[in-house]
Amino acid sequence: MNYPVAERFKALQGEGVYTGVPMAFIRMVGCSVGKKICTSCDTDFDTIYPHLDGGTYNPKQLLEWVGNYRHLCVTGGEPMMRDLMPLWDAAAMTPDLVFHVETSGTQENDLFDFSDSPFLWICVSPKPGFKEELVAKADEVKVIYGGLGNGPGWPGIADAMRWAAMGKIVYLQPRNNRITLDQKNTMEVVELVKKFPMLRASIQLHKVLGER
Ligand code: SF4
């Protein structure tokens, strides 16, 4: 199995429960949701970018690149479009490596069958077309405050509250600019989380730091 990787890089996780944790990020090419729906999408996933260490890699090559990092994050685009089982199997051979995956919750994948594993962390940031049964398998849910587009189907505060009531860890994350925070949206998220304390705020640390 070879994976088309748009880019790969090592950085601090900027979002959610693992904020501040060093991670090896692999961004898969392609997204089944797309920028016609997510008009404010802040990621480039359309092709392989060799100057960003993108390429076509097999699981062994990717795990060698992860090196001594203890957290591998597969993101996109929409990584659940791919057969992730060979990469998951290879990751499972690496002691203490936690395999993170970030998904829109719109694509079924065999990886969801392992959602109870302590070495698999599934972050669902629901986009239009999300499936409730996949959100239910998430370790954390990130609701983008304001959505990333203006069409129908975006989850809102009521959905966030409902998932929190189910026992999910649920973040509100402001819709930010590509590189920097949107101060207005960020402060509105802060106020909402203070009003609804079953929710949490995800502030995108990497944009505070000016990193990827
Ligand atoms: S699902 Fe994510 S990667 Fe895909 S278009 Fe939307 S914001 Fe961008």
Side-chain angles (χ1 to χ4, degrees), residues 21-77:
V21 174
M23 288 194 190
F25 287 89
I26 294 170
R27 187 181 309 287
M28 297 287 183
V29 170
C31 181
S32 49
V33 181
K35 295 182 181 180
K36 284 186 179 165
I37 291 175
C38 302
T39 52
S40 295
C41 173
D42 63 358
T43 54
D44 293 324
F45 53 76
D46 294 325
T47 188
I48 291 170
Y49 301 102
H51 66 291
L52 299 176
D53 208 18
T56 302
Y57 300 108
N58 63 37
K60 183 170 179 286
Q61 291 169 316
L62 290 172
L63 268 299
E64 283 173 358
W65 171 76
V66 169
N68 63 355
Y69 273 54
R70 298 274 62 87
H71 296 268
L72 162 63
C73 182
V74 183
T75 186

Side-chain angles (χ1 to χ4, degrees), residues 19-199:
T19 294
V21 174
M23 288 194 190
F25 287 89
I26 294 170
R27 187 181 309 287
M28 297 287 183
V29 170
C31 181
S32 49
V33 181
K35 295 182 181 180
K36 284 186 179 165
I37 291 175
C38 302
T39 52
S40 295
C41 173
D42 63 358
T43 54
D44 293 324
F45 53 76
D46 294 325
T47 188
I48 291 170
Y49 301 102
H51 66 291
L52 299 176
D53 208 18
T56 302
Y57 300 108
N58 63 37
K60 183 170 179 286
Q61 291 169 316
L62 290 172
L63 268 299
E64 283 173 358
W65 171 76
V66 169
N68 63 355
Y69 273 54
R70 298 274 62 87
H71 296 268
L72 162 63
C73 182
V74 183
T75 186
E78 176 48 87
M80 292 298 199
M81 291 167 53
R82 310 285 167 190
D83 176 7
L84 294 178
M85 295 309 295
L87 186 55
W88 164 246
D89 288 342
M93 303 293 285
T94 307
D96 299 327
L97 180 68
V98 181
F99 188 101
H100 300 243
V101 61
E102 298 182 339
T103 175
S104 59
T106 61
Q107 296 286 316
E108 307 273 355
N109 194 289
D110 288 346
L111 193 64
F112 280 107
D113 293 343
F114 298 85
S115 59
D116 289 339
S117 168
F119 295 102
L120 175 62
W121 186 264
I122 300 176
C123 172
V124 176
S125 182
K127 305 296 188 302
F130 68 82
K131 300 177 192 298
E132 278 290 337
E133 64 270 26
L134 300 184
V135 178
K137 292 185 176 178
D139 293 292
E140 67 179 353
V141 182
K142 269 186 321 209
V143 173
I144 309 301
Y145 174 71
L148 291 175
N150 296 317
W154 288 91
I157 303 298
D159 296 294
M161 302 275 280
R162 178 167 52 80
W163 291 322
M166 287 165 51
K168 293 290 160 193
I169 298 172
V170 181
Y171 284 87
L172 293 185
Q173 182 169 293
R175 179 178 61 198
N176 286 316
N177 308 312
R178 186 176 174 84
I179 308 286
T180 59
L181 296 185
D182 180 308
Q183 292 294 337
K184 177 175 175 291
N185 285 349
T186 298
M187 292 316 299
E188 287 180 9
V189 162
V190 170
E191 291 306 314
L192 279 166
V193 169
K194 288 197 287 190
K195 184 176 178 184
F196 303 115
M198 64 291 293
L199 305 177

